[in-house]
Structure formats: C-alpha cells, structure tokens
C-alpha cells in the first residue's frame, strides 16, 4: 500500500468541495491539477485510478494525486464527497508496502524530542492512500460542513474550509499512528530517553552533573549517555551546550546583560569558556553576535524578527 507524508506546517488550500452523485459521465476519464480526497457516502463506488481498480464501500477514503486520471470502471450508482486542495510543500509518496514498521522512524523521529532539533521530518504526518477512518461519521459530517461553507460563503469561510481539511487529514494520520503503535512495542529505553530529554530541558541552566542526572532518573550515567546518543545522535554534553547557547542568543538580543553575567547565569565555568563554546557552535563570539543584531536592528531590516534573528550570519 502507498502512503504519503505531509509536513505538519504545510499550507493547505481548499479549492473546491462537493457531493457527487455518480452518473454515466463518470465513465469518462477525468483529472484535475490538485490533490483530491474522496470519501464514499453511498456505496458501492467503482473507481479506477490508472491501472488500479477499486470497489469502495461507505466511509472508504481514497487520495488522488494531481493530474491522476480516474473514472468508473463499470456502471453503477452511489455517491461520494470530494475535496480538491493544494499543499505547500507537496505531499511525499512513501512506498512502504505493508510494512508499517518502516513508517515508525518518520512518525517518531527520536531527535524531534530535542528542543534544538531542526530535523526535516519533524512534525510530519503519515496518511495512507486508501483507508476507512475509524471516526467516519465525524469525517462525513466534516465534509457536510465544507459543502455548506461553499454554498453559503461568509466571513472567514476559506479559513474554516482549510481547518476542515486539516481535520480530515489529522484523523487519517491518527488512525494509522494508532495502528503502528498497537503493532509495535517501543523499547523501554525510549521512555527513559524521553524523560532524560525532559529533565535536560528543565535543568540546563543549572549545573547538570553526572551525579545529579543519575539521581533524578535512578539510572547509571553511562547507560543514560548511551541511550541519549543512540536516539538523538549527539551527546548529553553537546545538547546541554546547545540549550544554553540557544538561551544565550535570546539574552544577547533582548537584554543588556553583560557576557559575563550571561555566562554565569547559564552555569558556564567562566566567561572565556562560554565565549569559546558560543563561537564553536555559532561561528562568532557573543559580543559579535550582539553587535551584528544591533546593527541590523538599527538599519531597520524588515526581515529581522525574533524567529530569524538566531540565523544572523
């Protein structure tokens, strides 16, 4: 079976939505430039996509790609809801066969737990091409809401349409994720890893010693180092440095605290070690970072925001 991944931050844009009562015209091949999600209201629906023939029953959903030709492969009645939409970035096709285990890495990329993560798979949802949602009545009702919005557009109706589409995709992704989680037993070590990340996120401004971390988790520090490296790809010490430098950049931009005060606030041994660590991770010294930010701010750079400021260079 084919699956698609969609970025959790994708811009979804509903183009059209209707209830289609099948008639003889559906025997004629058709295609459109957008993604199309079909949900059967009255079955059966006989639909062919490319060379693949489907017999869809009530509640079944099928996702079509842009310009994918489809038509009825034999005469029949029935009806289905459909919504055409665009996605930026586009959906990615995943050929995983029937092996849902291969999707687990994308659904639960361990490094995504890290506050400093820039993993490209972070926040991605996985949806199947063909599925029957467990909450099918909720999905059918959502389609009815979408059609009503199209028939009687008012106010921020387009925003509401996109929210409805996002809800349909979320239900599909949750169903698949529930199936993955029920079929696969996650190792106990990943639970320990999650707890360790949580503790580091809460305690990075303090002096996190091996002894204090061992005490909080009741595990040997060597074991904790091993599982952290296994799931995140980096060491505990490096992650603590990343968290502290992430906070330091905010303090350099938004406060007038001295480099020395920031160093001690973030539990660095001394300002010199703080400056060396900052330059190692960011490519410039704390003072240079602050000066560069102030220069751009004074110049009235319209693209300079708190979100973009960390990437000054």
């Amino acid at each position: 079976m084919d699956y698609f991944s969609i970025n959790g931050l994708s811009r979804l844009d509903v183009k059209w939505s209707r209830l289609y009562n099948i008639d003889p015209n559906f025997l004629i091949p058709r295609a459109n430039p957008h993604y199309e999600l079909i949900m059967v209201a009255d079955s059966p629906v006989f639909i062919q996509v490319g060379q693949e023939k489907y017999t869809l029953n009530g509640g079944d959903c099928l996702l079509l790609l842009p310009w994918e030709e489809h038509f009825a492969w034999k005469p029949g009645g029935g009806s289905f809801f459909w919504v055409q939409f665009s996605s930026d970035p586009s959906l990615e096709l995943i050929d995983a066969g029937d092996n849902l285990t291969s999707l687990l890495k994308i659904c639960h990329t361990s490094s995504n737990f890290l506050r400093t993560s820039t993993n490209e798979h972070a926040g991605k949802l996985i949806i199947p091409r063909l599925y029957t949602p467990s909450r099918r009545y909720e999905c059918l009702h959502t389609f009815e809401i979408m059609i009503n919005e199209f028939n009687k557009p008012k106010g921020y109706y387009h925003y509401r349409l996109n929210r409805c589409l996002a809800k349909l995709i979320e239900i599909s992704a949750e169903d698949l994720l529930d199936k993955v989680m029920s079929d696969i037993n996650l190792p106990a070590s990943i639970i320990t890893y999650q707890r360790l990340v949580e503790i580091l996120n809460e305690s990075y401004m303090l002096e996190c010693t091996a002894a204090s971390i061992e005490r909080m988790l009741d595990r040997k520090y060597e074991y904790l180092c091993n599982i952290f490296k296994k799931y995140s790809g980096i060491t505990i010490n490096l992650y603590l440095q990343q968290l502290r430098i992430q906070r330091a950049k905010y303090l350099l931009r938004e406060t007038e605290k001295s480099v020395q005060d920031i160093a001690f606030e973030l539990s660095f041994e001394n300002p010199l070690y703080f400056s060396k660590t900052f330059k190692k991770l960011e490519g410039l010294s704390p003072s240079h970072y602050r000066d560069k930010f102030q220069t751009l701010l004074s110049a009235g750079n319209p693209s300079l925001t708190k979100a973009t400021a960390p990437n000054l260079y």
Side-chain angles (χ1 to χ4, degrees):
M1 179 185 292
D2 290 335
Y3 300 88
F4 297 91
S5 70
I6 179 170
N7 193 301
L9 300 178
S10 291
R11 180 179 180 273
L12 300 174
D13 188 18
V14 172
K15 303 299 183 181
W16 206 259
S17 184
R18 282 289 184 263
L19 173 65
Y20 180 62
N21 294 303
I22 294 176
D23 57 31
N25 289 329
F26 195 47
L27 293 167
I28 302 172
R30 61 190 65 196
N32 71 81
H34 307 295
Y35 295 101
E36 184 169 342
L37 179 61
I38 290 172
M39 183 172 191
V40 176
D42 185 20
S43 60
V45 170
F46 307 107
I47 183 171
Q48 181 168 338
V49 182
Q51 301 301 314
E52 193 76 27
K53 294 181 179 179
Y54 299 95
T55 300
L56 304 181
N57 297 309
D60 286 350
C61 295
L62 180 65
L63 181 62
L64 304 176
L65 299 177
W67 297 117
E68 196 162 38
E69 194 172 82
H70 56 285
F71 54 93
W73 59 270
K74 78 173 185 178
S79 62
F80 58 82
F81 292 103
W82 58 266
V83 56
Q84 295 176 7
F85 65 95
S86 63
S87 175
D88 183 20
S90 301
L91 277 63
E92 296 180 16
L93 176 64
I94 302 173
D95 185 7
D98 293 321
N99 184 11
L100 294 180
T101 306
S102 62
L103 298 181
L104 185 63
K105 184 177 180 180
I106 298 177
C107 293
H108 291 281
T109 306
S110 301
S111 61
N112 291 346
F113 293 123
L114 304 186
R115 187 181 293 177
T116 57
S117 173
T118 57
N119 191 292
E120 63 177 4
H121 291 306
K124 284 199 173 184
L125 289 77
I126 309 299
I127 56 177
R129 178 182 182 86
L130 175 65
Y131 62 97
T132 304
S134 60
R135 294 148 59 186
R136 58 182 178 276
Y137 295 112
E138 184 177 352
C139 291
L140 289 168
H141 180 60
T142 301
F143 265 109
E144 291 173 347
I145 293 174
M146 294 175 71
I147 292 172
N148 185 61
E149 291 286 358
F150 260 111
N151 291 337
K152 299 178 181 179
K154 59 182 179 180
Y156 298 107
Y157 80 99
H158 203 176
Y159 169 74
R160 293 192 294 272
L161 285 170
N162 293 336
R163 285 189 61 186
C164 286
L165 174 60
K167 183 177 182 179
L168 293 171
I169 291 175
E170 179 188 359
I171 290 174
S172 168
E174 284 184 344
D175 280 350
L176 179 61
L177 188 58
D178 287 343
K179 184 175 182 180
V180 171
M181 296 299 288
S182 65
D183 289 348
I184 299 172
N185 293 320
L186 293 178
S189 58
I190 199 169
I191 306 301
T192 302
Y193 165 71
Q194 292 175 0
R195 178 58 182 148
L196 174 56
V197 172
E198 183 181 357
I199 286 174
L200 296 176
N201 288 345
E202 293 173 351
S203 310
Y204 70 92
M205 293 180 65
L206 307 175
E207 186 178 355
C208 290
T209 64
S212 65
I213 294 174
E214 280 187 342
R215 186 167 55 253
M216 285 186 281
L217 281 167
D218 194 25
R219 294 287 190 279
K220 291 293 184 181
Y221 186 70
E222 182 179 1
Y223 168 75
L224 295 174
C225 287
N226 288 337
I227 65 168
F228 191 89
K229 182 67 180 293
K230 174 183 177 181
Y231 291 119
S232 72
I234 61 176
T235 65
I236 290 177
N237 285 337
L238 178 56
Y239 183 53
L240 284 171
Q241 288 180 352
Q242 290 177 346
L243 288 171
R244 288 166 177 163
I245 297 306
Q246 186 181 64
R247 175 64 177 174
K249 290 193 292 185
Y250 169 79
L251 294 173
L252 289 166
R253 296 194 311 269
E254 305 297 333
T255 74
E256 296 182 358
K257 293 181 179 180
S258 67
V259 171
Q260 177 175 313
D261 288 342
I262 292 174
F264 289 130
E265 180 176 330
L266 296 175
S267 298
F268 281 93
E269 296 175 6
N270 54 65
L272 179 60
Y273 179 59
F274 165 61
S275 295
K276 286 183 177 180
T277 303
F278 193 101
K279 188 170 185 178
K280 178 182 178 181
L281 295 183
E282 300 300 321
L284 70 172
S285 69
S287 298
H288 189 189
Y289 179 88
R290 172 176 273 168
D291 291 343
K292 200 163 188 177
F293 174 77
Q294 292 298 332
T295 299
L296 291 174
L297 193 64
S298 299
N301 189 328
S303 64
L304 185 61
T305 65
K306 290 182 180 180
T308 59
N311 300 315
L312 293 175
Y313 47 92

